[in-house]
Amino acid sequence: MAEDKKELAPELKEKLKAEFDKDWRKEQRKSVPAKERMKTARQKMPERPAGVRNRDFQEVNTGLTPEMALAEARRCLDCANPQCVAGCPVAIDIPSFVKLIEKGEFLAAAWKLKETNSLPAICGRVCPQETQCEELCTMKKASGVPVAIGNLERFASDFERLSGSMKIPPLPPPSGKKAAIIGAGPAGLTVAGDLAKLGHQVTIFEALHEAGGVLIYGIPEFRLPKAILKAEVDYLKRLGVAVRTSFVVGLTATIDDLRNEGYEAFFVGSGAGLPNFMKIPGENLVGVYSANEYLTRVNLMRAYDFPAYDTPVFKARTAAVIGGGNVAMDSVRTAQRLGAERAVIVYRRSRAEMPARTEEIHHAEEEGIEFQLLTTPIRYLGDERGRVRAMECQKMGLGEPDASGRRRPVPIEGSEYTMDVDLVVCAIGQSPNPLIPQTTPGLKMGKWGNVEVDWATMATSLPGVYAGGDIVRGGATVILAMGDARIAAAQMDQYLRR
Amino acid sequence: MPKILTRERLVPNLHLLEVHAPEVAGKCRPGQFVIVMPDEKGERIPLSIADWDVERGSVTAVFLVVGTTTRKLAALKAGDEIPVFVGPLGRPSEIAAFGTVVLVAGCFGIGALWPAARALKAAGNRVVALIDAKADYLVYWKDRFRSVCDRVVFSSRDYALGSKEFVPGPLERLLEAEAPVARVIAVGCTYLMYASAQATKPLGVKTVVSLNPIMVDGTGMCGACRCTAEGKTKFACVDGPDFDGHHVDWDELFMRRKSYFDDETRSLCRYEETELP
């Protein structure tokens, strides 16, 4: 849908060049010859042992040590034309923050990150770096192994948080203008941070009772600890952002109501609603979940700690998760941590087409997740109480590439077989949340129920109303949502000052 | 956090909860619901809206005590705060000049149907209410219904209110006496709604029911509340809660509502043993 990779804008090129030409950078570049830099091996992210971590919810990766971070930062060649920046949806000045780490100035590196990214501790954990910044890294072209930019981003921002010196940048005088952000997910939090730093009065309206959107209800603790999200949200609050939870824009108040209260600019980041199902028999049996429900119960509602927390979730002997994306990986690894003896990914294409991050697939394999590839469920079977007890599957072959460029799965007749399962999680995507579109007259919609925007500005068909993230894209990543948000925030700033 | 203005027992096991939530109050329409969470460790559950007062900035719900969450709600007092009271959610009930409308209400549904009774009368309908309870002492808001309805009929198992039958018999007789009835609206426990829809189906009287599946977010995100209506999977929180009772897969609804029966029992036992004074 969108242009995900952009050429560097001329002003950005200039900015990068100015940093590149600073004396300390020149000296540091020369201090270690490129050949030397290339000889260092990529530092491996330390992880907790697979057989230990797959039974609890603590974080899998434990983070680079300062020594490792210094060594990894030294691998960066500090290129004159840093392609990595072009691969980043929010255009972080990657060479500058990496070189600050090499210099040992970890706090300065974190602040450099925060100039362009309000949520670096989160992005350092959940971005698919291998297809973004790291894919375009010169070291990848030269040696096959890119600089671990994501791990360094995580290192610098964790260092800042743990140091207790989360710095609030100097804020400009208040503009006197009010902006309303709808949805406290990655897009909304990003817009809120950017606009607050520009002096606007920002309120985020969130339907759930905690801020974070998919970061709180979707991404599990073992991949993104809630304490980190909380620290990032607290940082926004210290920038002056107000967060109204349990407020459903569209129902508690419409965009027009908020306009009457003096809000002038709006950002719709209400995310993915309406989980998709396959429309096959037995899908409404008890024990068949959407990934959204399954993960929300466990993450937001803390069902993993039932009955200390009141929300229950089914614990399975054999859990089947349908899908091959990050959400599927999160679901299957959650099921295993909740005690499943077998936790199985059922995916209709092959490993090569799986949209999940390489690291997640790799971690899942290490933890003992089974993969039944080129397989699709065709029917679920229930017991006398209506609980799912088995699923009938069919093997698939791969045909010609489809619109997504991936080879189309084709059912193989006569390959049906039945597998006993007592929990199924459908992680096959979702449609945009319908509430804002239903309650905002004049908002132009696309054919999948998504909000239509001008991709250059993220402006919707209504004046002053911008949108980004899954409500526009249908189902993308945290960082693409944040990229949309940065464009929208700059436009909203101009709109508020018009 | 929203503050509780009133929490009182209406009749045994049925409680009224009035919460200060001015923004919600300003938007309520008949047939909508709120999601509440009684404390920080609680579950999110939907409650039908039974009344609201824009000037007081308050929204009222009536609930039946069945499990841990409702037990916790029933233990709250005026002045307490509640972490989640969000709404109004769901599509409002259709209110228009239909002609004669029969309301079938039971349990928390007596409260939940009150806003519709008031609005239907104001829209110019003849409004007839059939209020069902196990016994006379379990009926509340009689006077409210009498103040707007053209006729109020009761059915209860204890003979005290003139009939000991469950809804189908009295409903059939009402439909005959009040013919032509334009629509029936039934709100209460799943069985009452099911029985009402079964009774009206042969007579071809449109029957609207307010479905009450398990929900989590209540805004269309999770899909916990899916039910089959008109042959399609619908999400009760954003497509409903009102549906045509003649085209609901009731077996599925009964089954899905019981999903967590074992866990709910366990949770309630734990609550009673460890947290009750």
Side-chain angles (χ1 to χ4, degrees):
Chain A
M1 270 197 285
E3 267 297 306
D4 293 340
K5 279 181 190 145
K6 308 166 205 93
E7 272 298 299
L8 290 182
E11 43 308 351
L12 178 59
K13 264 189 181 162
E14 253 169 60
K15 229 184 91 193
L16 293 170
K17 177 87 166 58
E19 294 287 330
F20 179 81
D21 287 340
K22 283 189 175 161
D23 290 341
W24 72 268
R25 284 273 288 271
K26 282 186 191 163
E27 280 166 35
Q28 195 171 275
R29 254 195 313 275
K30 278 191 215 143
S31 67
V32 184
K35 265 192 184 160
E36 190 82 9
R37 293 179 187 276
M38 289 174 66
K39 268 198 274 179
T40 316
R42 177 169 159 133
Q43 303 293 305
K44 194 180 173 316
M45 169 62 86
E47 308 163 352
R48 296 166 60 233
V52 174
R53 69 183 194 234
N54 68 1
R55 295 288 150 185
D56 67 33
F57 279 85
Q58 289 170 48
E59 202 174 7
V60 168
N61 291 335
T62 56
L64 300 179
T65 62
E67 296 70 34
M68 294 168 91
L70 287 168
E72 186 61 34
R74 207 172 301 125
R75 295 183 66 229
C76 169
L77 300 173
D78 199 5
C79 317
N81 180 14
Q83 283 304 297
C84 50
V85 182
C88 175
V90 298
I92 291 175
D93 179 353
I94 294 169
S96 286
F97 100 80
V98 172
K99 291 296 112 180
L100 282 165
I101 294 179
E102 181 181 342
K103 204 177 167 198
E105 294 191 11
F106 303 152
L107 285 176
W111 297 331
K112 178 56 76 178
L113 278 163
K114 283 208 168 150
E115 285 176 13
T116 39
N117 184 347
S118 303
L119 313 168
I122 293 170
C123 292
R125 286 171 166 81
V126 305
C127 270
Q129 290 96 4
E130 71 271 16
T131 61
Q132 296 178 162
C133 51
E134 294 182 19
E135 179 169 40
L136 301 178
C137 175
T138 308
M139 275 292 273
K140 183 175 179 182
K141 286 167 212 154
S143 73
V145 187
V147 174
I149 300 168
N151 293 347
L152 289 173
E153 180 182 29
R154 170 185 160 145
F155 169 79
S157 47
D158 282 1
F159 186 88
E160 187 203 13
R161 189 181 61 260
L162 297 171
S163 74
S165 11
M166 296 265 275
K167 194 174 84 166
I168 298 298
L171 296 174
S175 68
K177 300 286 185 181
K178 283 165 76 178
I181 313 299
I182 301 156
L189 294 174
T190 301
V191 176
D194 283 8
L195 289 179
K197 282 189 276 188
L198 291 163
H200 303 299
Q201 191 186 329
V202 181
T203 305
I204 307 181
F205 296 93
E206 165 58 45
L208 290 170
H209 55 280
E210 287 186 52
V214 72
L215 306 171
I216 185 107
Y217 75 72
I219 300 180
E221 181 81 11
F222 58 81
R223 211 148 72 79
L224 175 63
K226 288 181 188 77
I228 286 161
L229 172 65
K230 191 173 175 297
E232 306 269 34
V233 173
D234 284 348
Y235 169 74
L236 293 180
K237 288 182 180 167
R238 285 170 60 202
L239 290 175
V241 173
V243 182
R244 289 278 322 262
T245 51
S246 295
F247 193 111
V248 189
V249 175
L251 294 170
T252 314
T254 62
I255 287 179
D256 283 339
D257 295 332
L258 295 175
R259 245 188 238 281
N260 292 336
E261 285 177 29
Y263 291 95
E264 290 181 49
F266 299 84
F267 179 79
V268 182
S270 51
L274 297 179
N276 295 339
F277 287 93
M278 292 171 66
K279 299 187 166 65
I280 59 175
E283 232 166 7
N284 290 349
L285 283 166
V286 174
V288 180
Y289 286 105
S290 75
N292 278 1
E293 181 187 356
Y294 185 66
L295 293 172
T296 299
R297 283 180 179 275
V298 178
N299 298 327
L300 176 71
M301 305 309 296
R302 277 84 158 161
Y304 60 84
D305 201 7
F306 178 87
Y309 283 80
D310 294 343
T311 303
V313 71
F314 287 126
K315 308 215 164 87
R317 183 166 295 188
T318 305
V321 174
I322 319 303
N326 289 320
V327 176
M329 296 304 144
D330 286 345
S331 302
V332 78
R333 294 169 75 196
T334 296
Q336 188 187 44
R337 280 161 170 77
L338 288 173
E341 288 162 25
R342 283 181 74 194
V344 187
I345 283 283
V346 178
Y347 181 54
R348 62 192 182 132
R349 303 184 205 239
S350 73
R351 167 81 189 250
E353 288 85 15
M354 275 198 170
R357 289 174 75 207
T358 316
E359 184 183 48
E360 307 313 326
I361 299 173
H362 177 66
H363 278 161
E365 282 175 336
E366 281 180 349
E367 289 168 11
I369 301 300
E370 270 180 58
F371 288 76
Q372 295 203 6
L373 303 175
L374 292 164
T375 303
T376 194
I378 50 176
R379 186 158 74 107
Y380 300 106
L381 308 165
D383 65 13
E384 67 286 354
R385 288 173 70 191
R387 266 203 74 166
V388 66
R389 61 170 177 83
M391 71 179 194
E392 199 175 309
C393 296
Q394 187 170 37
K395 299 302 281 180
M396 309 292 269
L398 286 179
E400 294 300 306
D402 65 10
S404 73
R406 297 176 300 176
R407 293 177 63 193
R408 187 191 303 274
V410 188
I412 300 173
E413 294 303 326
S415 65
E416 297 82 1
Y417 67 100
T418 303
M419 173 180 164
D420 286 348
V421 293
D422 51 356
L423 176 78
V424 174
V425 179
C426 292
I428 57 165
Q430 49 243 320
S431 308
N433 191 293
L435 287 178
I436 299 286
Q438 274 173 13
T439 55
T440 312
L443 190 64
K444 202 173 161 210
M445 307 301 300
K447 63 179 166 185
W448 299 287
N450 55 309
V451 173
E452 274 202 359
V453 293
D454 170 354
W455 286 102
T457 61
M458 304 312 286
T460 69
S461 57
L462 292 175
V465 182
Y466 299 77
D470 280 1
I471 189 70
V472 170
R473 293 173 179 270
T477 59
V478 167
I479 190 67
L480 287 174
M482 291 173 60
D484 295 347
R486 296 221 67 218
I487 298 171
Q491 296 292 322
M492 289 167 76
D493 177 52
Q494 281 183 23
Y495 180 84
L496 288 166
R497 295 181 196 280
R498 72 201 180 279
Chain B
M1 287 204 283
K3 192 170 265 182
I4 294 172
L5 299 175
T6 318
R7 201 281 310 147
E8 64 180 14
R9 197 194 71 167
L10 291 169
V11 294
N13 267 351
L14 281 160
H15 293 251
L16 175 150
L17 182 72
E18 185 192 23
V19 175
H20 186 248
E23 280 137 341
V24 184
K27 287 287 175 182
C28 288
R29 294 285 172 274
Q32 290 186 296
F33 63 93
V34 287
I35 292 262
V36 301
M37 189 167 122
D39 60 32
E40 301 293 346
K41 292 188 170 183
E43 192 172 10
R44 292 169 63 102
I45 62 159
L47 295 180
S48 301
I49 293 169
D51 206 357
W52 59 89
D53 184 331
V54 177
E55 271 170 35
R56 235 167 108 78
S58 76
V59 178
T60 298
V62 174
F63 63 92
L64 178 74
V65 176
V66 280
T68 306
T69 307
T70 44
R71 196 73 59 110
K72 284 180 171 179
L73 287 173
L76 295 169
K77 306 179 295 294
D80 287 348
E81 289 183 332
I82 181 167
V84 176
F85 190 88
V86 55
L89 304 174
R91 293 171 184 263
S93 296
E94 191 187 354
I95 302 290
F98 299 116
T100 299
V101 180
V102 172
L103 308 177
V104 186
C107 186
F108 71 89
I110 301 172
L113 262 174
W114 163 245
R118 194 169 50 186
L120 286 163
K121 187 62 204 171
N125 294 282
R126 176 174 166 80
V127 181
V128 178
L130 168 60
I131 295 178
D132 182 81
K134 278 230 166 67
D136 174 39
Y137 71 89
L138 294 173
V139 179
Y140 56 97
W141 289 9
K142 277 184 204 167
D143 293 342
R144 284 200 185 199
F145 275 85
R146 282 180 174 138
S147 73
V148 301
C149 293
D150 296 277
R151 191 177 161 195
V152 185
V153 182
F154 298 92
S155 62
S156 73
R157 302 303 89 71
D158 65 348
Y159 292 91
L161 296 160
S163 158
K164 79 168 200 68
E165 283 177 89
F166 187 53
V167 288
L171 177 57
E172 279 162 19
R173 289 194 292 280
L174 262 185
L175 292 183
E176 204 182 309
E178 295 287 341
V181 170
R183 70 168 59 193
V184 170
I185 307 176
V187 183
C189 70
T190 313
Y191 190 69
L192 174 131
M193 296 192 285
Y194 161 78
S196 302
Q198 291 299 105
T200 58
K201 200 169 185 176
L203 304 168
V205 179
K206 184 180 170 82
T207 298
V208 176
V209 292
S210 176
L211 298 191
N212 47 2
I214 293 168
M215 294 186 184
V216 183
D217 73 296
T219 60
M221 183 273 281
C222 83
C225 65
R226 60 195 196 277
C227 43
T228 303
E230 271 141 47
K232 289 195 186 113
T233 293
K234 305 266 187 183
F235 292 176
C237 68
V238 287
D239 298 325
D242 284 2
F243 290 97
D244 182 336
H246 296 157
H247 298 101
V248 167
D249 183 337
W250 292 99
D251 289 340
E252 183 184 276
L253 181 67
F254 279 113
M255 177 187 90
R256 286 186 64 82
R257 277 179 51 82
K258 280 189 237 154
S259 297
Y260 296 101
F261 188 78
D262 299 344
D263 285 330
E264 284 162 359
T265 309
R266 204 174 135 211
S267 169
L268 186 57
C269 290
R270 181 192 164 278
Y271 173 71
E272 291 197 339
E273 281 161 16
T274 62
E275 289 182 37
L276 270 193

